[in-house]
Structure formats: structure tokens, C-alpha cells
Amino acid sequence: MTTPRTDAGELGDPELSAAQVPEPGAVTLVIPTFNESGNIRELLRRLTESVPSRMPCEVVFVDDSTDDTPDVIRAAAQDCPFPVSVLHRDEPAGGLGGAVVEGMKQAGSDWIVVMDADLQHPPALVPELVAAGERASADLVVASRYIRGGSREGLAGGYRIAVSRGATWLTKGLFPGRLRGISDPMSGFFAIRRSVVTAGVLRPLGYKILLELAVRCRPETVAEVPFVFQDRFAGESKSTAREGMRFLGHLVGLRTASRVARMIAFGLIGLTGFVPNLLALHLLTAAGMHYLPAEIVANQFGVVWNFLLIEVLLFRDRRRHRHWADRVCRFVLLANADLLLRIPLIALFVGRLDMAVLPATALALLTTFVLRFAATEALVYLPRRRNAPGAARPGARVSP
């Protein structure tokens, strides 16, 4: 990924005229909303002041609200000199990230700008994001709080600042190559070329859609524009502990997208299963149970522990293929078959291949681990063979 960097010292005059923005300069603004009725009129007023005089635009609201936000949008849109549409979702699949993807599918312009409705993202910066992308021939332009000229002053409270900074370090550490040149991967304010967005590969979960796009769609050239994160105009922040957990689950899903990565994660989860296994073994033998049946019973505690972690962290997006009871039974059978297969393998390696016991045991453990991972993926979490009705085909680009 090549990453031309644009900062405050390179932007020149911020008051660019429309003629200075190379064609195509049209932009679709995708704005996800959840109970943001108090912000809509002011947001559209500021967009009207900043965008249409410099480039053609349209606004697509994707709304998951439980209040009157859709009605407020429709009423406020009557005064706008550009098209405004609202797509209300009764079932908000994928959270804010899923809403953004739905909005991108409705986009009719070559450039898509994603921003929040709470006015913490300054509408006046929208034309500059597109202009910076055209000047740098970039596929993605990120509004960053962490380059010269940017600030996170609207992120009130030391706790939220620490969480934001920690999440940034974590994501950049997990994806150093994909996020090279992106100083603020947690930003929700960015511009991306519609041609780069491959709808079929996106698996949004929660509110960090920029991370999803950067990792899965792999834009070749990235630029950045500084921005000052503003205070909310009205309403309350939607950042909660639950969203934080969804974000961590999203990170795991992105990091384990390849089969090799999933196998490594599968092995690490298996190692953690020794803790409940050994603890249960200690308690059972201390209670007077013979060690052989205690070994068998204690092993089930480790199996259940592993199953829960694999369900939540590794195969979260494949749980709909089978009923949970079916998945439990299959997983337990495979985990215990591992024990039955390991002993004959060790005997084969020692008796036929003249291996010592320790290397034979290690090789048997490795063999059964690979077989168990393959069987678990294929027999418990079998990938879907067909797309859901109306879903985008893998590899399909978003279209208006």
C-alpha cells in the first residue's frame, strides 16, 4: 500500500473553489443515525453552507432510530438544495458499520464520504477530503485527529481519550501493513472511492467501519487530512461497554480471516482450556474420585471452555449454519475423538517408526490438532454455500 501523506502544511488554502477540485468531484455523504433528531437540522444547514457550492452532492441517511429521526430528516430535507434520502432499518444488522455499508450501496457518486450525524465531524471539511483524494490520486482519505493540525478536543474525559488511544495502538499493532499511513484508524470521518468498496467481502460489526474497509478492501493509496474533533451538538454518545466488546470481537474476526490465522487462534484457545481442565481435575480428585474417571470428566470442562471461546471469538459469523445444540454435540464428539485417536497414533509412531515416546506424543498431538481444527471448521461451522436472497455477490462492487 502506497501512502502519500497530506497534513496541514501541505493543504494550502482551505477555501478551495469548485474549479480547484478535479473532476469527478461529486460526492455521496453516507450518514448513519441512531436517535439523532436533535442534530439533523443543524447538520443539514452546515452541509448546505459548505458543500454544494464547491461540488455536487447527495446525502444518504441510514437510520436505525427508535425515535422520530426519520421524520425530522424528511422535513429538514425540504429546505436542502441537494437530494436527501433516508433508509430506515427495522433490523440494524451489523450496527453502525452495517448501516454504512447499506448506505454505500445506495451511493450514486464516485466519492463516498462517511461521517457522523452529531456534528463532531465538521461538515466544512467534506470538500477538502475529496479534493485531497483527487490531488493525491488516493483511494482513501482519512480525517485524522493525530497529525499536525488535528485534535481530539471534543473527546471529553480522560477515560475516553485513553480508550481511544489504546484502541488505536491495538489496531495498528494487529494490522501494521494494512494500516500503514493511517494515523487514526478509529476515525469515523473519511472519504473513499466507490470503485474500491467491495461489498461482498465486508463483514461489519459495530461502529469502526474504517478499519473494516482498510483491512478487507485494501485501498492502494491513502491520504490524510487533519481535523479537530468537535463537541456533540445535541444528544448523548453512543459509545458503550457493549460497543467496546463488539469492537474487540470485530478485531478478532478481522485478524483471523485467513485459515492459517484461524488455526493459530484455535490452538491458542485450546491451550487456555488446560486451566479449567486442571482445576476441575484437582477438585474432583480432592473430592475422592478416582483419577481415571476424573480425567475424563475434567476434560469436558476444558472442552466446554474451548467451545465458548471459539463460538464468541473465532466462528462468530458462522453460528447460524447449525442450531447451538447441534454445534455443541458435534464439538464435544470431535474433542473426545481426539483423545481416542491420539493413543493409537502414539503406538503407531513408536511401534512402526521406532520413535521415542516424547517425540511420538508431540507428533500425535500436532496431527490430531490439525485434524480437529479441519473437522471443527468443516463439520461444526460449515461455511454457507449460498448467499442470502438479495445479498451482494462476493467480489461485487457497490452500485447505485
Side-chain angles (χ1 to χ4, degrees), residues 309-325:
L309 288 185
I310 286 170
E311 282 268 298
V312 173
L313 298 177
L314 200 55
F315 292 114
R316 185 187 185 95
D317 59 340
R318 299 189 187 181
R319 293 185 300 190
R320 296 181 181 179
H321 304 309
R322 299 181 188 278
H323 189 272
W324 69 266

Side-chain angles (χ1 to χ4, degrees), residues 29 31-51 61 114-126 151 153-155 188-189 227-238:
L29 288 101
I31 306 176
T33 52
F34 179 73
N35 296 348
E36 297 285 1
S37 59
N39 294 308
I40 298 302
R41 292 187 181 278
E42 181 64 16
L43 171 64
L44 289 176
R45 185 188 70 79
R46 295 189 194 181
L47 286 172
T48 299
E49 290 179 350
S50 306
V51 183
F61 287 96
V114 176
M115 64 185 301
D116 291 344
D118 55 17
L119 292 164
Q120 291 188 300
H121 301 155
L125 196 62
V126 170
S151 170
E153 67 180 36
L155 198 61
F189 191 19
F227 90 105
V228 177
F229 194 67
Q230 307 290 320
D231 294 324
R232 285 184 63 91
F233 181 76
E236 298 180 354
S237 171
K238 307 304 188 297

Side-chain angles (χ1 to χ4, degrees), residues 352-365:
R352 294 294 183 91
L353 303 180
D354 294 325
M355 294 179 66
V357 173
L358 285 180
T361 301
L363 182 58
L365 283 168

Side-chain angles (χ1 to χ4, degrees), residues 110 139 192-198 397-398:
D110 292 328
D139 297 316
I192 189 167
R193 292 186 190 271
R194 189 176 59 158
S195 59
V196 174
V197 182
T198 309
R397 301 291 183 180
V398 299

Side-chain angles (χ1 to χ4, degrees), residues 22 158 173 212 228 230 247 265 304 306 312 371:
E212 173 83 9
V228 177
Q230 307 290 320
F247 167 66
V304 171
N306 290 344
V312 173
L371 291 174

Side-chain angles (χ1 to χ4, degrees), residues 101-323:
V101 173
E102 288 301 315
M104 287 178 165
K105 293 177 182 178
Q106 308 298 318
S109 307
D110 292 328
W111 278 101
I112 300 170
V113 169
V114 176
M115 64 185 301
D116 291 344
D118 55 17
L119 292 164
Q120 291 188 300
H121 301 155
L125 196 62
V126 170
E128 183 51 41
L129 290 173
V130 177
E134 295 288 2
R135 287 196 301 270
S137 297
D139 297 316
L140 171 67
V141 184
V142 178
S144 175
R145 297 164 289 181
Y146 300 126
I147 60 175
R148 183 159 55 95
S151 170
R152 57 174 183 259
E153 67 180 36
L155 198 61
Y159 170 76
R160 287 192 64 193
I161 291 173
V163 169
S164 176
R165 206 50 167 155
T168 298
W169 289 337
L170 177 60
T171 54
K172 288 182 71 67
L174 287 173
F175 305 97
R178 305 283 176 84
L179 299 181
R180 186 178 297 114
I182 301 178
S183 64
D184 194 357
M186 297 294 97
S187 177
F189 191 19
F190 58 90
I192 189 167
R193 292 186 190 271
R194 189 176 59 158
S195 59
V196 174
V197 182
T198 309
V201 304
L202 296 176
R203 301 288 183 271
L205 178 65
Y207 59 104
K208 297 306 179 186
I209 187 62
L210 173 60
L211 177 64
E212 173 83 9
L213 289 165
V215 171
R216 295 199 194 274
C217 295
R218 307 183 185 186
E220 292 184 1
T221 309
V222 176
E224 292 191 315
V225 170
F227 90 105
V228 177
F229 194 67
Q230 307 290 320
D231 294 324
R232 285 184 63 91
F233 181 76
E236 298 180 354
S237 171
K238 307 304 188 297
S239 298
T240 62
R242 182 180 179 183
E243 286 296 330
M245 294 305 297
R246 293 178 76 178
F247 167 66
L248 293 177
H250 190 201
L251 279 182
V252 173
L254 286 171
R255 187 63 278 176
T256 58
S258 71
R259 198 170 194 193
V260 172
R262 284 198 302 275
M263 185 180 292
I264 293 172
F266 187 87
L268 293 175
I269 290 172
L271 289 176
T272 68
F274 282 113
V275 175
N277 190 327
L278 294 176
L279 179 60
L281 180 61
H282 170 72
L283 294 175
L284 291 170
T285 53
M289 182 180 288
H290 189 274
Y291 76 91
L292 285 178
E295 285 275 8
I296 296 172
V297 174
N299 184 65
Q300 308 314 308
F301 283 86
V303 169
V304 171
W305 170 269
N306 290 344
F307 174 77
L308 292 175
L309 288 185
I310 286 170
E311 282 268 298
V312 173
L313 298 177
L314 200 55
F315 292 114
R316 185 187 185 95
D317 59 340
R318 299 189 187 181
R319 293 185 300 190
R320 296 181 181 179
H321 304 309
R322 299 181 188 278
H323 189 272

